[in-house]
Amino acid sequence: MLFTGIVYYWAITMILKGQENKDLAEEEQEVFSYVNTNHQLPPEPKSNSQHTTFTVVNSPVKRKFVGSVFRNEKEGENEPGRGLITNVTVNGIHYKVFIVESSVETDDLIQIIFGITIGVILILLAILFMVNKLVLSRIWQPFYSILEQLKSFNVSNKAEIIPQRSTIEEFTELNNAVLTMSSRVKSEYNDLKAFTENASHELLTPLAIINSKLDTLVQTDSFSERQSALLNDLYTSVSRLTRLNQAMLLLSRIENQLIPGTEPVELDELINDNIIQLHELYTDKDIRLTVNLVHKTLNANKYLIEVLVSNLLINAIRHNVSKGEIAIMLTDEKLVVENTGIPQDLSGQNIFKRFNKSAGSEGSGLGLTISNQICENYGFRLSYAYKQNKHAFMVNFKLPQAPDFLQN
Amino acid sequence: MKLLIVEDEAGLRDSIREYFADAGSVCEVAGDFESALQKINLYRYDCIILDITLPDGNGLEILKALKRHRYPDGVLIVSAKNALDDRLKGLDLGADDYLSKPFHLSELRARVTAIIRRKSFDGNHLVVFNEIELDLLARSVAVNGVDVKFTKKEYDLLLYFIANKGKVVTKNAIAEHLWGDSIDVSSNFDFIYSHIKNTRKKLMEAGCPDYIQMVYGMGYKFSEV
């Protein structure tokens, strides 16, 4: 484009220069013919665009065209011009003839032509660019849409990939492939989840039978110390199994968002109730409790919030040391449960991962996973920090708004 | 009391029947939907222990039938479906209580007793065991007509014991009854022991004989001396 422009500019300039030279040559001819007929110099004609001057010289000068300056008397300014230096001999005296012509108009012409041309080219370019962009984005829109959906695809999310209608065969094919893949992945994932849930369900009945048989067994007679100890171990194990099972069921139900129903939950009251409920548990360990609550209402399922609060509190008690401390702080933005415990930062470990538990813990290993999932369901964020030898779990009620490009 | 146990699992059904039978109550059983439906159409019960997942029907239908005929039987739903909506549905349909599997028989018994108590209210809100009198409305305890101060947990514990009198109640069951699911199984049960010690002390100071016996290593038994 630049090259074409240069060539174009050069060509026009050449043509117009040629025209000017022709004009000048014509003027020269006129001077010559005047001299031939009248044997004297013509008067120095001065027009708006042309001057001719005669100067006496000793020897003839070489004829040539030059770029020059044209003094426009009328406007009183110097304009670019083009001159022709030539000779004329009148009565044996050599005169240098200098014809100068204003090239302002020519230059103006060039500029106008060039301007218009450039303008048209630019407008064309812009239109071309916009049309291109529009057409391209229109054409690629199904592709980007699929891509976007693939990026945000979440196997546990209920949202399906929306089929993109496109007249382009490749995109339709891609679309179909993505749809098939996602639905297959989802159905397999759901099968797996259903299996977990069914397995947990099926386990409940035998567990109930074991439990009831144990309850019946202990009624039968008095047992020896050894038998009692064995029975006690059995009870404890069955109880753990039950708890684990219930935790798995609860987790799968929360993950599937199968626990609906929201109501205003008075969080401060709920925490206080929980503290009362757990009174014996922490006083048994001589734990000092500091509670600092503001009034806070959440819109959520009360049962789930109860599970969340009680999980955090029980963890704080369970993983505490004798004569330790627990601090519970509730502000408008967050709930913090801080406790003393083993002097080790746990943030490097996947504490929110299933079945990740400390060596001595006899919990289900699902407590934090469940808590985390509950938080996720309500758009809260559960985080862990270790500072000043204290483990702190924090529930942020207000997530910072994600940047726009992350939403969709 | 007269009970109907609707439960398809024979093992569980027998355990429940056995646990209730020797306390002078009449226990009938139904192993499937049809026989349960027949029984409720023929007889009235103080309380029906109703499993809602039956092989040939949904226990909730039995509950609906009961309510349709305006039968006054108390209903305790027992389900392996530890689902909240099931629970809510059951309670919405007019069940008196809900217990999810697995459970302790002592817990089941406490619940059933509570339902029967509520059903046969007729102005009587007192639970009496010899000289001990529990006022269910005021949640207070009197021994020989004299008020004895009990904490909320001690009161619950005593009520639980009386509902399961003559039975060995395990520490696990007591802990779960008083502290709910949140109780840590592995934690030592010293605080249960101290609760029981306090309850026993208060009763004996008020003039009761020592009703609470420790069954070594496993639990406690509340019974006539």
Side-chain angles (χ1 to χ4, degrees):
Chain A
M1 192 61 81
L2 186 71
F3 177 74
T4 324
I6 291 168
V7 169
Y8 187 59
Y9 181 78
W10 182 76
I12 292 180
T13 315
M14 283 328 276
I15 290 168
L16 287 172
K17 248 185 201 168
Q19 187 63 46
E20 275 176 358
N21 290 354
K22 228 189 214 164
D23 282 355
L24 289 172
E26 218 168 81
E27 193 59 34
E28 185 194 18
Q29 280 309 313
E30 268 176 36
V31 171
F32 286 163
S33 59
Y34 189 89
V35 168
N36 277 342
T37 30
N38 300 331
H39 298 288
Q40 63 171 45
L41 286 175
E44 290 187 0
K46 269 191 184 164
S47 72
N48 276 344
S49 57
Q50 219 173 47
H51 299 173
T52 313
T53 48
F54 302 99
T55 325
V56 181
V57 286
N58 296 329
S59 54
V61 287
K62 203 174 170 244
R63 183 180 186 264
K64 62 175 176 188
F65 291 99
V66 289
S68 173
V69 172
F70 177 81
R71 176 79 195 166
N72 189 334
E73 306 281 334
K74 204 171 166 189
E75 289 171 25
E77 56 188 16
N78 289 327
E79 291 170 353
R82 189 155 180 85
L84 169 64
I85 298 168
T86 183
N87 294 299
V88 69
T89 312
V90 182
N91 304 331
I93 302 163
H94 298 291
Y95 291 95
K96 183 181 102 177
V97 182
F98 183 51
I99 308 163
V100 65
E101 195 182 50
S102 167
S103 62
V104 155
E105 278 160 23
T106 324
D107 280 3
D108 282 352
L109 195 63
I110 292 176
Q111 270 171 22
I112 288 168
I113 292 176
F114 193 68
I116 289 173
T117 316
I118 288 289
V120 168
I121 288 175
L122 283 181
I123 289 170
L124 271 177
L125 263 182
I127 291 173
L128 195 69
F129 181 72
M130 281 192 312
V131 166
N132 231 354
K133 210 176 152 178
L134 211 74
V135 168
L136 275 187
S137 70
R138 183 70 63 79
I139 289 174
W140 285 93
Q141 189 268 333
F143 174 77
Y144 285 117
S145 172
I146 295 170
L147 195 67
E148 207 47 57
Q149 294 198 56
L150 273 181
K151 276 185 198 159
S152 59
F153 180 70
N154 183 351
V155 90
S156 61
N157 198 334
K158 274 207 172 133
E160 294 283 344
I161 286 190
I162 306 154
Q164 294 301 314
R165 273 225 295 264
S166 166
T167 45
I168 299 161
E169 201 179 324
E170 281 82 358
F171 288 155
T172 317
E173 215 166 291
L174 175 69
N175 198 1
N176 290 340
V178 165
L179 279 180
T180 324
M181 185 207 72
S182 74
S183 67
R184 197 174 53 224
V185 164
K186 274 200 177 166
S187 93
E188 271 176 30
Y189 177 76
N190 284 337
D191 284 354
L192 213 65
K193 262 199 318 201
F195 174 75
T196 318
E197 203 175 331
N198 290 342
S200 307
H201 262 144
E202 292 306 315
L203 280 175
L204 284 172
T205 305
L207 273 174
I209 295 171
I210 295 174
N211 221 4
S212 70
K213 292 294 172 194
L214 277 173
D215 281 345
T216 314
L217 179 63
V218 297
Q219 310 300 335
T220 49
D221 237 317
S222 56
F223 295 95
S224 72
E225 198 172 316
R226 191 172 144 66
Q227 285 169 323
S228 301
L230 286 172
L231 274 172
N232 216 17
D233 288 351
L234 271 176
Y235 260 118
T236 310
S237 296
V238 170
S239 194
R240 269 184 71 182
L241 194 55
T242 307
R243 219 165 289 271
L244 175 63
N245 208 35
Q246 277 162 352
M248 275 162 63
L249 270 174
L250 179 63
L251 184 62
S252 83
R253 293 186 66 76
I254 301 171
E255 277 177 349
N256 289 334
Q257 309 215 334
L258 285 179
I259 304 184
T262 54
E263 55 185 310
V265 180
E266 315 278 329
L267 191 55
D268 45 332
E269 267 177 41
L270 198 143
I271 293 172
N272 276 326
D273 289 350
N274 244 285
I275 292 171
I276 295 169
Q277 182 74 11
L278 298 172
H279 182 262
E280 287 78 12
L281 290 176
Y282 65 83
T283 46
D284 188 53
K285 269 187 163 176
D286 273 333
I287 292 169
R288 204 160 53 90
L289 192 70
T290 350
V291 185
N292 204 336
L293 311 176
V294 298
H295 182 70
K296 167 91 185 161
T297 311
L298 287 178
N299 244 328
N301 181 296
K302 191 171 182 197
Y303 173 70
L304 291 185
I305 298 299
E306 253 171 29
V307 170
L308 173 64
V309 167
S310 119
N311 273 350
L312 291 180
L313 294 189
I314 286 181
N315 263 346
I317 298 172
R318 183 184 289 162
H319 301 292
N320 218 318
V321 289
S322 192
K323 293 190 170 32
E325 282 171 35
I326 294 177
I328 304 165
M329 281 157 288
L330 175 66
T331 65
D332 204 39
E333 296 98 52
K334 58 186 176 184
L335 165 69
V336 184
V337 179
E338 216 174 57
N339 65 281
T340 49
I342 49 159
Q344 187 196 344
D345 191 351
L346 302 172
S347 42
Q349 304 169 23
N350 288 328
I351 47 171
F352 297 117
K353 226 177 157 183
R354 287 154 202 231
F355 301 117
N356 185 323
K357 48 181 179 176
S358 62
S361 171
E362 302 217 357
S364 65
L366 288 173
L368 280 177
T369 317
I370 289 174
S371 307
N372 199 25
Q373 189 64 47
I374 292 174
C375 286
E376 263 179 36
N377 279 16
Y378 289 116
F380 308 156
R381 198 183 60 212
L382 181 63
S383 55
Y384 166 83
Y386 181 73
K387 47 190 173 188
Q388 290 152 10
N389 294 327
K390 280 184 179 168
H391 305 272
F393 283 92
M394 214 181 302
V395 181
N396 264 60
F397 302 121
K398 288 170 194 146
L399 270 183
Q401 204 67 52
D404 278 345
F405 63 91
L406 285 180
Q407 289 181 340
N408 304 325
Chain B
M1 51 186 164
K2 198 175 171 203
L3 299 175
L4 173 65
I5 302 158
V6 182
E7 166 64 60
D8 57 318
E9 285 293 333
L12 191 55
R13 195 168 63 223
D14 294 345
S15 296
I16 297 174
R17 187 177 52 191
E18 200 179 319
Y19 197 84
F20 280 90
D22 53 21
S25 21
V26 180
C27 266
E28 289 188 18
V29 291
D32 54 52
F33 185 82
E34 278 309 317
S35 60
L37 212 54
Q38 276 170 20
K39 280 209 156 67
I40 65 150
N41 281 326
L42 289 174
Y43 311 105
R44 298 277 56 79
Y45 300 92
D46 293 320
C47 188
I48 299 169
I49 298 167
L50 182 63
D51 184 359
I52 56 173
T53 42
L54 296 170
D56 53 343
N58 189 331
L60 288 177
E61 292 303 320
I62 295 173
L63 178 59
K64 280 183 194 161
L66 276 170
K67 293 299 158 188
R68 204 166 40 237
H69 292 107
R70 299 180 187 281
Y71 292 143
D73 313 36
V75 176
L76 172 70
I77 289 178
V78 165
S79 171
K81 278 198 176 165
N82 186 20
L84 255 120
D85 34 330
D86 258 2
R87 176 195 193 118
L88 292 176
K89 210 186 287 170
L91 296 179
D92 270 356
L93 286 173
D96 296 275
D97 206 349
Y98 181 103
L99 192 59
S100 58
K101 287 182 188 173
F103 46 79
H104 289 286
L105 291 177
S106 48
E107 181 67 33
L108 178 69
R109 189 166 172 123
R111 304 274 187 114
V112 169
T113 315
I115 289 174
I116 293 172
R117 234 182 254 138
R118 278 205 300 273
K119 286 278 166 189
S120 56
F121 209 56
D122 45 316
N124 179 12
H125 47 85
L126 297 177
V127 173
V128 181
F129 179 82
N130 294 346
E131 64 280 336
I132 306 170
E133 213 177 69
L134 281 86
D135 187 326
L136 297 174
L137 291 181
R139 299 180 68 83
S140 64
V141 184
V143 177
N144 292 320
V146 181
D147 269 357
V148 183
K149 265 253 167 283
F150 271 61
T151 65
K152 182 180 173 292
K153 287 223 162 71
E154 287 163 354
Y155 169 88
D156 287 340
L157 181 67
L158 186 59
L159 201 56
Y160 195 68
F161 271 141
I162 291 177
N164 286 289
K165 58 180 177 252
K167 297 283 181 188
V168 176
V169 180
T170 58
K171 288 185 291 189
N172 271 306
I174 295 172
E176 276 171 35
H177 179 74
L178 294 185
W179 284 277
D181 285 341
S182 53
I183 189 90
D184 194 334
V185 270
S186 64
S187 64
N188 60 33
F189 289 122
D190 284 352
F191 49 93
I192 296 176
Y193 175 70
S194 68
H195 265 76
I196 287 168
K197 205 174 70 182
N198 286 341
T199 310
R200 176 201 256 155
K201 201 170 117 196
K202 282 179 186 175
L203 288 177
M204 285 171 75
E205 276 173 0
C208 295
D210 189 4
Y211 291 125
I212 304 173
Q213 302 150 36
M214 193 166 119
V215 179
Y216 186 81
M218 282 183 299
Y220 301 89
K221 190 169 170 179
F222 186 92
S223 59
E224 303 273 358
V225 183

